[in-house]
Amino acid sequence: MSEERKSLNFIEQIIEEDLANGMAKDDLRFRFPPEPNGYLHIGHTKAIGISFGLGEYYNAPVNLRFDDTNPAKEEQEYVDAIKRDIAWLGYNWDKELYSSDYFQQLYDWAIKLIKEGKAYVDSQTSEAMAEQKGTPTEPGVDSPYRNRSVEENLELFDRMKKGEFAEGEHILRAKIDMTHPNMLMRDPIMYRLVKAEHHRTGADWCIYPMYDWTHGESDYIEQISHSLCSLEFKPHRELYDWFLDQVVDPELLRPKQREFARLNLSYTIMSKRKLLKLVEDGVVSGWDDPRMPTISGLRRRGYTPNALRKFVETVGVAKRENVIEVSLLEFCIREDLNKTAPRVMAVLDPIKLVITNYPEDKVEWLDAENNPEDESAGYRKVPFSRELFIEKEDFREEAGNKFFRLKLGGEVRLKNAYIIKAESVVKDANDEITEVHCTYSEDTSKKVKGTLHWVSIRHAINAEVREYDRLFMDEAPDSHPDKDFMEFINPDSLKVIEAFVEPSLAEAKVGDRYQFQRLGYFNVDDDSTSDHLVFNKTVGLRDTWAKVTSTERGRSEPKQNNTQSQKPQNNQPKRKAIDVIKQLGKKYTNLPEEKRLRVRAEILQLAEEVSYEELEPLFNTAVKKVGTRIAVLLTLKVMLNNGLKQTSEIDDFIEKALNDKNDLLVNEAKS
């Protein structure tokens, strides 16, 4: 967590109040308590960030405690994966603990409750118990076994512990109140029989404590000051406190449970059970498949710890459930990789380009900047020769004035090299273009609008590129009661391409991240070898999904309900992209960070539809209109990335922004 935050979130306010009311700062202790029944996913990063972030902010210890009370679903593999993920995110825990460490203490406390008449062994079927539990509006009915004697309960519970009964034959329940308005307080289950090998305790136990009984007592044993959990556990707080009432020593610290809204992400599922189904059904290659929302999947896809931590910090801590657009997560990784990823050239869908007036045997090694965002990144050498590969979509025989790439009779600049002019094409028997013949000019000072990336055919390295798209086509794939979430699987979520990359990538190592210029960000996959390079597409340079959504809804206009009174609005013409950008820029500097990042992403997308002629008049925007100037800079950035030649007017506008007093404006100008 950053110490530069302007205001405390509600959890920090609770902690500050506790400190003001006499709690010693040395008594602060937090915990992250995952169940090792699957891999951590993007939703867990919020819970991790909150607990470990508070630990960093208050310089307080944070325990990593595994809630391992269900041996039927938990494995050591998941424990190891969870530890690896948290460490990769950059967090350090104080103690590594397990709920299974406390099985004996929990059992002893259960005996205490039985002796005090506060717990009993129930021998009903699960169906009978569900029937007599009542409803939220109707009270429950006492179990016929509720008034068993202490002696009988102790005997039965001991025999349960020894494994003398079958699973489901008996359970231990707390004796609270079957008419309580909170159904969780209606004699909740404390122990059940599970005859399965535990990953740590083996066959020592065949009765296992339930989560509600284990959670608060484990917090108390560890002297956790603030037990933070997601919002669905708010109704459990009353039971959490009741169980603590039975065991706490008033001289010791009593944990306090507080709840926050969990992280829900569009186009994603967060259920570990459903993620496991994707793995077991072979929809994905494993928990670390780069399409999975697991931390290990995101890591393999090329995401960085900084991007995930920035995402969690931007989302913030809320009391109400909401759904965060996945585009914000993608924006965070773009921003991080833009600063750190070396630029290289790769061609994914090649067409051969022959420079007819370039000597056949000549090779030049030209200087190419590694990262314009990092002055210390330096330069590398790239080979240039007569025959090159360029992207097939970068050439058209005929095209309009807004096509800034190569067309017959047109000129473009080859990145880091010369200006070329398309003279003719060669076609096959199917009338498909197989070669583009060009001439080059050594006059590199000429002004042309387009710049293309390329790879020398003679020096190109073959590489496998895995282009990933979103795994689901629906924003909320598991929210349809009448449909299986599997129905929304995107059949085109993975596309394998045989590509060509520049020779500097011959030494690329697993995990290395790059920007393939004009294409997106890619990293070297775990399957890569020195003989067979494999790259994963992390994210594109722009949000192509947002472009589709924006077009469908008429740019930034909100969706309209299909009512009679709103029909005239729906028939209005779409606004020009430049007009929407100007409007978005007006209040840009006054927006909270999360919303500002969303608006920034929208401006960058809209910039694809703006011409230089529309943008240039805005170079004269008044100094005090900082938001509009930022919007212009963002639009300009996209145009320059797309090959727009930098002019003296552009240089003057950027220079003026660099000398401004507003940090947001200056930072955009620097990039």
Side-chain angles (χ1 to χ4, degrees):
M1 284 193 177
S2 169
E3 295 196 26
E4 298 176 1
R5 291 166 299 180
K6 295 179 180 178
S7 61
L8 301 176
N9 62 54
F10 77 95
I11 291 177
E12 292 164 344
Q13 290 172 359
I14 291 170
I15 295 171
E16 291 295 330
E17 288 173 9
D18 290 339
L19 294 174
N21 291 331
M23 176 183 281
K25 192 170 183 181
D26 288 346
D27 286 339
L28 290 178
R29 179 178 285 273
F30 309 101
R31 89 288 174 269
F32 175 62
E35 182 182 1
N37 64 346
Y39 281 54
L40 297 180
H41 54 63
I42 183 66
H44 292 111
T45 58
K46 181 174 181 179
I48 295 169
I50 288 173
S51 292
F52 283 95
L54 288 169
E56 292 176 354
Y57 187 62
Y58 288 103
N59 194 27
V62 182
N63 290 348
L64 173 58
R65 182 178 75 236
F66 291 94
D67 177 27
D68 57 342
T69 61
N70 187 357
K73 294 184 177 181
E74 295 156 3
E75 299 177 18
Q76 185 62 39
E77 174 195 349
Y78 298 141
V79 171
D80 296 339
I82 289 168
K83 290 164 60 177
R84 185 166 59 246
D85 288 345
I86 296 173
W88 177 76
L89 285 170
Y91 295 113
N92 299 306
W93 54 88
D94 181 49
K95 295 178 181 177
E96 180 183 325
L97 301 168
Y98 298 81
S99 293
S100 55
D101 294 337
Y102 314 131
F103 280 174
Q104 186 62 50
Q105 177 63 79
L106 292 167
Y107 176 80
D108 292 343
W109 277 335
I111 295 292
K112 173 180 179 291
L113 264 64
I114 293 173
K115 289 180 178 179
E116 292 175 352
K118 295 178 180 178
Y120 64 97
V121 175
D122 197 341
S123 306
Q124 296 182 93
T125 64
S126 58
E127 293 80 11
M129 278 189 286
E131 199 171 304
Q132 50 97 330
K133 198 161 188 177
T135 69
T137 57
E138 296 178 358
V141 178
D142 287 356
S143 164
Y145 302 101
R146 197 172 195 266
N147 294 317
R148 273 174 164 158
S149 66
V150 169
E151 291 72 24
E152 186 180 5
N153 283 320
L154 288 172
E155 180 194 356
L156 287 169
F157 193 48
D158 182 60
R159 292 176 65 192
M160 286 171 63
K161 180 176 181 289
K162 291 175 180 176
E164 295 182 14
F165 302 113
E167 289 186 10
E169 195 171 348
H170 301 287
I171 58 167
L172 183 72
R173 297 177 72 175
K175 189 186 289 187
I176 304 178
D177 182 0
M178 289 301 294
T179 66
H180 200 286
N182 183 347
M183 291 186 67
L184 294 170
M185 300 293 284
R186 297 179 186 178
D187 292 8
I189 301 173
M190 294 175 63
Y191 277 90
R192 79 285 196 203
L193 280 153
V194 181
K195 294 190 175 181
E197 196 87 359
H198 190 278
H199 71 101
R200 293 186 74 244
T201 62
D204 292 351
W205 296 85
C206 56
I207 55 170
Y208 288 91
M210 300 297 288
Y211 176 84
D212 282 320
W213 170 237
T214 309
H215 182 206
E217 316 313 277
S218 299
D219 287 341
Y220 172 63
I221 292 169
E222 296 175 17
Q223 289 290 277
I224 300 301
S225 60
H226 297 81
S227 178
L228 308 174
C229 52
S230 50
L231 211 54
E232 65 263 32
F233 290 102
K234 189 169 185 177
H236 295 248
R237 192 200 296 183
E238 192 171 10
L239 181 55
Y240 180 98
D241 287 332
W242 188 90
F243 278 138
L244 284 179
D245 288 341
Q246 315 313 313
V247 303
V248 294
D249 181 339
E251 298 299 316
L252 296 177
L253 183 144
R254 180 186 176 115
K256 176 186 290 188
Q257 176 179 306
R258 291 296 180 265
E259 308 83 16
F260 56 86
R262 64 182 177 179
L263 175 58
N264 299 302
L265 201 63
S266 64
Y267 296 97
T268 310
I269 58 171
M270 298 295 190
S271 163
K272 282 193 279 187
R273 176 179 59 83
K274 292 177 180 178
L275 292 175
L276 178 60
K277 181 173 174 58
L278 293 174
V279 175
E280 291 178 337
D281 288 5
V283 176
V284 294
S285 61
W287 285 97
D288 68 343
D289 187 296
R291 292 166 291 180
M292 289 281 272
T294 55
I295 295 175
S296 57
L298 292 168
R299 176 170 62 244
R300 185 172 178 182
R301 185 159 174 170
Y303 274 73
T304 64
N306 284 342
L308 295 183
R309 290 178 69 154
K310 177 64 176 176
F311 172 66
V312 169
E313 192 172 323
T314 302
V315 169
V317 182
K319 293 183 181 180
R320 295 181 181 179
E321 294 285 4
N322 58 353
V323 178
I324 305 300
E325 292 289 337
V326 69
S327 56
L328 178 61
L329 173 63
E330 294 166 347
F331 174 80
C332 289
I333 185 60
R334 279 192 199 95
E335 287 291 283
D336 190 47
L337 292 179
N338 182 53
K339 300 171 187 171
T340 59
R343 276 52 167 170
V344 295
M345 291 192 288
V347 175
L348 306 190
D349 185 19
I351 187 171
K352 185 176 181 180
L353 186 146
V354 180
I355 306 174
T356 57
N357 62 337
Y358 194 88
E360 288 192 25
D361 297 326
K362 183 177 179 180
V363 175
E364 292 180 87
W365 289 84
L366 306 176
D367 287 328
E369 191 174 15
N370 287 327
N371 189 343
E373 304 289 329
D374 180 5
E375 293 181 3
S376 65
Y379 289 79
R380 69 190 185 286
K381 295 287 187 180
V382 291
F384 184 85
S385 61
R386 175 186 171 91
E387 297 185 345
L388 312 173
F389 282 136
I390 63 169
E391 296 289 345
K392 191 174 292 183
E393 67 172 18
D394 282 343
F395 175 77
R396 292 183 191 170
E397 280 190 89
E398 297 179 4
N401 292 333
K402 288 194 174 182
F403 185 74
F404 296 139
R405 287 167 276 180
L406 188 61
K407 56 190 174 185
L408 279 182
E411 291 182 310
V412 295
R413 185 183 304 276
L414 294 176
K415 185 72 176 175
N416 308 306
Y418 301 105
I419 292 171
I420 58 170
K421 181 178 180 180
E423 306 286 0
S424 62
V425 297
V426 176
K427 297 184 179 181
D428 61 17
N430 297 318
D431 206 35
E432 293 289 328
I433 298 173
T434 57
E435 293 183 12
V436 180
H437 287 196
C438 302
T439 55
Y440 88 106
S441 168
E442 293 187 349
D443 178 11
T444 57
S445 64
K446 189 186 301 185
K447 292 184 179 180
V448 292
K449 288 188 174 181
T451 300
L452 307 185
H453 63 280
W454 50 273
V455 175
S456 169
I457 294 177
R458 190 191 309 182
H459 305 88
I461 298 175
N462 290 73
E464 178 183 324
V465 170
R466 298 171 182 174
E467 275 199 333
Y468 294 101
D469 204 342
R470 295 177 187 172
L471 188 56
F472 294 98
M473 296 184 291
D474 188 84
E475 284 191 79
D478 56 355
S479 68
H480 303 272
D482 57 335
K483 292 186 178 181
D484 186 342
F485 76 99
M486 299 285 276
E487 294 181 36
F488 300 103
I489 294 288
N490 179 3
D492 301 315
S493 62
L494 171 60
K495 181 180 178 183
V496 179
I497 298 167
E498 285 301 319
F500 298 92
V501 299
E502 67 175 66
S504 69
L505 291 170
E507 304 300 320
K509 302 292 189 295
V510 169
D512 288 350
R513 304 178 183 92
Y514 300 92
Q515 183 196 101
F516 287 2
Q517 289 183 301
R518 301 178 63 243
L519 299 175
Y521 294 99
F522 295 75
N523 79 309
V524 185
D525 185 70
D526 296 355
D527 293 338
S528 190
T529 66
S530 58
D531 297 325
H532 180 62
L533 283 174
V534 181
F535 291 92
N536 297 322
K537 184 175 183 179
T538 306
V539 68
L541 293 178
R542 293 171 292 280
D543 186 354
T544 53
W545 279 67
K547 187 172 184 178
V548 173
T549 306
S550 177
T551 302
E552 287 175 349
R553 69 173 188 256
R555 306 204 201 283
S556 61
E557 298 297 318
K559 290 180 181 178
Q560 304 290 341
N561 295 325
N562 192 22
T563 62
Q564 190 67 30
S565 63
Q566 289 166 329
K567 282 184 179 178
Q569 294 181 14
N570 290 335
N571 293 330
Q572 290 179 351
K574 294 176 182 178
R575 301 161 62 199
K576 282 188 172 183
I578 190 65
D579 294 332
V580 179
I581 288 172
K582 286 192 287 185
Q583 182 181 0
L584 292 172
K586 284 181 180 178
K587 297 181 180 180
Y588 187 89
T589 55
N590 296 323
L591 297 173
E593 184 175 20
E594 180 184 350
K595 191 168 183 180
R596 188 168 67 242
L597 290 175
R598 292 175 186 272
V599 169
R600 186 182 191 278
E602 185 167 3
I603 292 172
L604 290 170
Q605 186 60 50
L606 288 166
E608 295 286 339
E609 304 172 43
V610 177
S611 69
Y612 181 73
E613 289 72 22
E614 292 175 310
L615 186 68
E616 188 178 23
L618 295 181
F619 290 174
N620 297 318
T621 299
V623 173
K624 64 180 181 180
K625 295 182 178 180
V626 176
T628 302
R629 294 166 69 201
I630 291 175
V632 174
L633 278 171
L634 292 171
T635 307
L636 190 57
K637 181 177 183 178
V638 171
M639 289 184 170
L640 291 170
N641 284 339
N642 287 344
L644 176 68
K645 177 66 177 176
Q646 197 153 327
T647 64
S648 58
E649 290 81 10
I650 293 174
D651 289 337
D652 291 343
F653 179 70
I654 295 173
E655 185 66 28
K656 191 174 181 180
L658 285 169
N659 294 321
D660 200 90
K661 295 180 180 179
N662 185 280
D663 290 340
L664 288 173
L665 181 64
V666 172
N667 288 336
E668 292 297 352
K670 285 180 179 177
S671 69

